[in-house]
Amino acid sequence: MLKLKKKLINYEVIISLYFTLHGVFLHFNQEYIDESKIKILYFLTPIFFVVFLYVLFSFFRMYKNVTVCESYLSLDDRKIDMNELCYVNVHIIYAFESLNWARKVEVYYKYNDGETFFFSGIFSLNARYERLIDMFKGNEKIEVSKNGG
């Protein structure tokens, strides 16, 4: 059984907020910046602010608990029977695979009637990639993959 649990800290939110606040600080304290870099500052600060808003918004819309097993897919309180689905694809994007640190997890699933859904988020995994492959080996509906492979 694969269990995904939403991480409490999203580093993309923190980093984009830091660079946004740093850009605002430099805007009001121009003695700390070089005049040749001021155009870059005025270009990047709004971009980091937009990234901050997008990542923050998507972080709160994310599922808290996702469970994938042989008989069902559970999204928070909603259970979907595997007989209703054509496939479930769990794609893991690792920051550091040796530490089992997943940066992002993408989940694709398709109903038998053709409707396809996708969501992604910052989740912690309950098992290493090799164990997940062994766990779902032979199952035609559940596929686990990772970046670069």
Side-chain angles (χ1 to χ4, degrees), residues 1-133:
M1 178 180 304
L2 168 61
K3 289 189 177 187
L4 305 173
K5 187 170 176 80
K6 178 178 159 182
K7 288 188 178 180
L8 296 177
I9 297 176
N10 185 342
Y11 296 109
E12 293 171 347
V13 171
I14 294 169
I15 290 170
S16 60
L17 178 63
Y18 168 77
F19 282 114
T20 300
L21 294 177
H22 187 68
V24 170
F25 170 78
L26 291 177
H27 173 73
F28 290 110
N29 299 295
Q30 294 187 1
E31 64 269 10
Y32 292 107
I33 60 172
D34 186 8
E35 285 298 319
S36 63
K37 297 178 183 168
I38 199 150
K39 289 182 182 176
I40 295 172
L41 171 69
Y42 287 133
F43 176 72
L44 289 180
T45 301
I47 288 176
F48 278 117
F49 183 67
V50 169
V51 168
F52 168 71
L53 291 178
Y54 172 75
V55 172
L56 187 67
F57 178 72
S58 63
F59 180 71
F60 286 111
R61 288 187 53 219
M62 193 180 353
Y63 292 110
K64 290 178 180 54
N65 294 303
V66 177
T67 304
V68 180
C69 71
E70 307 267 335
S71 58
Y72 65 88
L73 168 67
S74 173
L75 308 171
D76 285 340
D77 295 331
R78 189 174 129 218
K79 270 190 176 178
I80 305 170
D81 191 57
M82 277 300 176
N83 294 329
E84 300 175 27
L85 299 173
C86 289
Y87 67 85
V88 176
N89 186 347
V90 179
H91 185 75
I92 304 166
I93 301 170
Y94 281 103
F96 296 103
E97 186 177 356
S98 60
L99 301 174
N100 199 33
W101 179 13
R103 190 187 82 72
K104 188 176 192 179
V105 179
E106 299 174 342
V107 178
Y108 303 85
Y109 60 98
K110 181 177 181 180
Y111 283 97
N112 291 332
D113 63 3
E115 280 188 285
T116 304
F117 293 94
F118 159 79
F119 67 90
S120 65
I122 313 297
F123 294 102
S124 59
L125 304 168
N126 68 332
R128 297 183 86 60
Y129 178 73
E130 294 79 18
R131 187 163 184 280
L132 293 175
I133 292 295

